[in-house]
Amino acid sequence: MSDYSKAAARFARDTAAHRMTVLHEEGLYRHLRFEAPERGSVGPFELITWPHNLVAKAGWTFHFDIDATLDMFDLFRRTALTGEINPGYWAEKVRAGRDEIEGYDPNLLKGQIASTIAQWMRDDLADRVWGHAKARGLDPEELDSRPNLRKWLSRQVRPEWMSANRELREAVHEHFFSDMSCYNIEFESEAHQSLADFSYRPEGYDGPYPYHFADWVEWRLKDYTPGFLHSCRAIRRGIDLWDAACKQAEVAA
């Protein structure tokens, strides 16, 4: 999952001055609106509840329900992570709006590609050290027991390895990210096609297989959408304001 701290901080700023308006309240039948009137249309949202159900309207609409919980406010109170939201668990309770919970994220693709290249180059360095040891009549099995020998061999092969590293990264960049690329990885279908089509064989390489992303179909390239996360934060913020108002009313009474 991505780092949501910036978006969470922005939401906190946008809703810091929000006030609650009770449009309807009859037991568990509630219609609450939250906004900062002086800020106009920045960040208003509504929560609507009835037994076993909650609808959040925050620019996106999500309908949550669970038969085991009469008051959905209780569910979100109990399952909120400390100081945070709990999108993983809450997503399971969405009845309407499921298509908006997750979406393709090109940043996840970039991270997976970078991680794979790094692994390729670690393996390549190990292979070069092993080959260099054999060429010098050394027993590759000794490398595990003689770390200084491994370091010395690594220094010997490092110039060629760095050149190969650079050429591989240039090939990946040209295929996926350059202005001349045939693919626009901002779109999920083109990202999938670009992964399927990638193949790179270094000059002078005589191995049986070129570089390719063999396991990309197992990559997780989707994450929670900004809309779903925003709605989860709206629910948490709204319940906090509701609870504060109820507590204030009890003190006043």
Side-chain angles (χ1 to χ4, degrees), residues 167-241:
E167 292 171 2
L168 173 60
R169 292 181 183 277
E170 288 174 352
V172 169
H173 176 79
E174 182 177 354
H175 181 83
F176 290 97
F177 308 120
S178 75
D179 293 337
M180 301 300 292
S181 174
C182 297
Y183 313 93
N184 184 348
I185 64 168
E186 296 297 317
F187 297 96
E188 184 176 9
S189 60
E190 294 200 35
H192 289 175
Q193 191 62 53
S194 69
L195 288 165
D197 291 347
F198 179 79
S199 178
Y200 171 68
R201 185 181 292 273
E203 184 177 352
Y205 173 73
D206 58 358
Y209 304 109
Y211 285 108
H212 67 289
F213 295 96
D215 60 349
W216 70 266
V217 294
E218 301 175 5
W219 292 358
R220 176 176 172 81
L221 300 179
K222 291 187 176 182
D223 204 349
Y224 296 117
T225 64
F228 179 65
L229 294 173
H230 182 91
S231 297
C232 288
R233 295 187 183 102
I235 292 171
R236 181 179 175 90
R237 174 66 171 149
I239 292 175
D240 286 346
L241 290 173

Side-chain angles (χ1 to χ4, degrees), residues 135-184:
R136 290 177 173 269
L138 300 172
D139 183 356
E141 295 181 358
E142 294 181 32
L143 300 182
D144 292 334
S145 60
R146 298 176 61 185
N148 289 337
L149 175 60
R150 178 181 289 277
K151 290 180 181 178
W152 180 81
L153 291 170
S154 295
R155 288 195 296 269
Q156 303 307 304
V157 303
R158 191 169 185 80
E160 291 183 358
W161 176 77
M162 291 183 67
S163 177
N165 188 348
R166 181 176 62 255
E167 292 171 2
L168 173 60
R169 292 181 183 277
E170 288 174 352
V172 169
H173 176 79
E174 182 177 354
H175 181 83
F176 290 97
F177 308 120
S178 75
D179 293 337
M180 301 300 292
S181 174
C182 297
Y183 313 93
N184 184 348

Side-chain angles (χ1 to χ4, degrees), residues 50-209:
W50 64 98
H52 309 290
N53 292 267
L54 181 147
V55 172
K57 299 173 66 68
W60 301 264
T61 300
F62 290 94
H63 174 194
F64 301 79
D65 80 333
I66 180 171
D67 291 341
T69 305
L70 192 64
D71 185 355
M72 288 294 283
F73 277 11
D74 289 339
L75 172 74
F76 289 100
R77 289 191 194 99
R78 291 197 316 268
T79 60
L81 301 176
T82 303
E84 300 177 0
I85 56 178
N86 191 350
Y89 180 73
W90 295 351
E92 299 173 2
K93 312 308 174 188
V94 174
R95 173 182 290 274
R98 297 202 61 83
D99 291 344
E100 298 294 327
I101 293 175
E102 291 187 329
Y104 164 68
D105 185 347
N107 289 322
L108 293 179
L109 171 66
K110 295 173 184 177
Q112 290 280 13
I113 290 174
S115 177
T116 301
I117 293 175
Q119 184 60 55
W120 282 346
M121 296 317 300
R122 285 192 293 269
D123 294 342
D124 181 61
L125 179 60
D127 290 342
R128 289 174 185 272
V129 169
W130 190 86
H132 204 54
K134 287 182 62 178
R136 290 177 173 269
L138 300 172
D139 183 356
E141 295 181 358
E142 294 181 32
L143 300 182
D144 292 334
S145 60
R146 298 176 61 185
N148 289 337
L149 175 60
R150 178 181 289 277
K151 290 180 181 178
W152 180 81
L153 291 170
S154 295
R155 288 195 296 269
Q156 303 307 304
V157 303
R158 191 169 185 80
E160 291 183 358
W161 176 77
M162 291 183 67
S163 177
N165 188 348
R166 181 176 62 255
E167 292 171 2
L168 173 60
R169 292 181 183 277
E170 288 174 352
V172 169
H173 176 79
E174 182 177 354
H175 181 83
F176 290 97
F177 308 120
S178 75
D179 293 337
M180 301 300 292
S181 174
C182 297
Y183 313 93
N184 184 348
I185 64 168
E186 296 297 317
F187 297 96
E188 184 176 9
S189 60
E190 294 200 35
H192 289 175
Q193 191 62 53
S194 69
L195 288 165
D197 291 347
F198 179 79
S199 178
Y200 171 68
R201 185 181 292 273
E203 184 177 352
Y205 173 73
D206 58 358
Y209 304 109

Side-chain angles (χ1 to χ4, degrees), residues 30-50:
R30 315 180 185 96
H31 187 175
L32 313 174
R33 181 171 177 83
F34 305 86
E35 61 185 337
E38 64 276 9
R39 301 198 65 184
S41 61
V42 177
F45 59 91
E46 297 180 9
L47 300 181
I48 303 167
T49 69
W50 64 98

